[in-house]
Amino acid sequence: MSLLTVKDLSFSYSQEENVLNGVSFVVEKGTYISLIGHNGSGKSTIAKLLAGLLEAKSGSIEAFDLEYNRKNIRKIRSRIGIVFQNPDNQFICASVKDDIAFGLENRQVDPAKMNEIILEYARKVNMEDFLDKEPENLSGGQKQRVAIAGVLAMKPDILILDEATAMLDPKGKKEINDVIKNLRTENKDLTIISITHDIEEAFESDRIIVLNNGKIALDGDKELILSHKQEIIDMGLDIPFKNKFIDALKDAQLDDVIKELYD
């Protein structure tokens, strides 16, 4: 089932040069998609357009059978949640509990039901023991988990992660990636769109869209992406360490080692 359709999308921050040039793709319900590309490729601009924070120069976006326009944008935004890359910019309350509650209060959720909802989503991201903590005393990974809990509590149909692990250390990245894996297990209908430059993360998704100079260069699963390794490298990206290691073993004619490690 098609949940989101992007057609011939173009965007410019100035009148001189487009950041996006005729981008088209369709997102199916319940899929996990990664948009990757080098800095300046246009991936974060797409995130903001999908979240309704920017308006396209030309082309169209449609979600939930609604076209992105001034009439529909509030209804569309109510079904999309976005987590940005800097966790420190996402907190406005004095405690983790209050921060998760903030969006619920704006939605005028019944106060009698709010504590139960907050605890439910804090548990989903393994932050139930931190509800009374001040956000400034959390690690980067913990802050992002709280940000994700706050978004999930509003029950979006689409979760957009805009470089959500870019400012985290390896431990924090693992925490967020583990949360995503658990979310996908618990809710098969949740659609996740991850904007990232981390190929290791992208390879955890069902589908990878590679952007280069504002256009889609590649679109497919990780096997297809791996079949274009040199093209990926030429675009300023990398391939996962595991695959580089396997290639090195093949070059050294150590196929028996590959079989023992990965079969």
Side-chain angles (χ1 to χ4, degrees):
M1 174 183 173
S2 175
L3 197 66
L4 177 72
T5 301
V6 175
K7 186 175 181 181
D8 297 328
L9 188 66
S10 294
F11 181 82
S12 176
Y13 290 101
S14 68
Q15 299 300 316
E16 298 177 3
E17 185 177 1
N18 282 353
V19 176
L20 298 175
N21 290 285
V23 171
S24 298
F25 60 91
V26 175
V27 178
E28 302 295 325
K29 182 179 180 179
T31 55
Y32 174 19
I33 293 178
S34 290
L35 275 69
I36 67 171
H38 58 78
N39 289 338
S41 62
K43 59 187 186 300
S44 284
T45 298
I46 287 181
K48 293 176 177 62
L49 286 162
L50 295 182
L53 302 177
L54 296 175
E55 189 173 333
K57 176 181 178 182
S58 63
S60 65
I61 309 174
E62 186 177 290
F64 323 115
D65 296 322
L66 295 171
E67 185 178 349
Y68 275 56
N69 56 39
R70 292 184 180 181
K71 176 184 175 183
N72 296 328
I73 197 63
R74 288 188 65 183
K75 189 178 294 186
I76 292 169
R77 280 179 183 159
S78 71
R79 300 179 65 180
I80 295 176
I82 184 166
V83 178
F84 295 101
Q85 66 174 276
N86 190 342
D88 290 318
N89 292 340
Q90 299 175 84
F91 292 97
I92 57 174
C93 298
S95 72
V96 167
K97 180 180 179 180
D98 289 343
D99 230 282
I100 297 175
F102 181 76
L104 299 173
E105 291 170 348
N106 285 341
R107 297 274 179 95
Q108 298 181 322
V109 172
D110 184 349
K113 298 178 180 178
M114 204 173 292
N115 281 339
E116 182 181 343
I117 296 171
I118 291 168
L119 184 57
E120 176 188 354
Y121 286 95
R123 281 174 176 160
K124 287 183 184 294
V125 298
N126 298 316
M127 289 298 291
E128 67 269 27
D129 295 331
F130 296 82
L131 289 173
D132 294 323
K133 299 289 185 181
E134 296 180 7
E136 63 185 30
N137 294 326
L138 301 178
S139 69
Q142 289 170 335
K143 289 175 181 177
Q144 283 295 47
R145 280 152 57 193
V146 173
I148 291 172
V151 169
L152 291 176
M154 293 184 284
K155 299 183 179 180
D157 295 286
I158 299 175
L159 173 63
I160 299 175
L161 304 170
D162 185 11
E163 299 278 12
T165 65
M167 300 183 69
L168 304 182
D169 60 19
K171 181 176 182 292
K173 287 186 178 184
K174 184 180 185 305
E175 290 174 354
I176 300 306
N177 289 329
D178 287 346
V179 166
I180 293 171
K181 288 177 184 177
N182 291 336
L183 289 175
R184 300 198 70 215
T185 300
E186 294 174 6
N187 186 355
K188 302 293 185 183
D189 290 333
L190 179 64
T191 302
I192 301 174
I193 302 174
S194 175
I195 284 76
T196 182
H197 63 268
D198 189 327
I199 195 73
E200 303 275 356
E201 282 182 33
F203 266 51
E204 297 294 327
S205 58
D206 304 316
R207 174 181 167 201
I208 302 168
I209 298 175
V210 183
L211 289 164
N212 188 43
N213 296 326
K215 297 180 179 180
I216 293 179
L218 295 168
D219 183 353
D221 59 19
K222 59 185 178 183
E223 283 75 22
L224 182 141
I225 302 303
L226 276 177
S227 70
H228 294 266
K229 282 185 285 190
Q230 191 55 52
E231 192 175 343
I232 288 290
I233 293 168
D234 290 344
M235 285 188 281
L237 298 170
D238 203 350
I239 61 172
F241 174 78
K242 172 184 172 181
N243 299 96
K244 287 194 286 188
F245 183 54
I246 290 173
D247 287 345
L249 291 174
K250 286 180 179 177
D251 291 341
Q253 298 183 333
L254 295 173
D255 291 348
D256 290 343
V257 176
I258 297 173
K259 185 175 180 64
E260 183 177 341
L261 289 173
Y262 297 110
D263 284 1

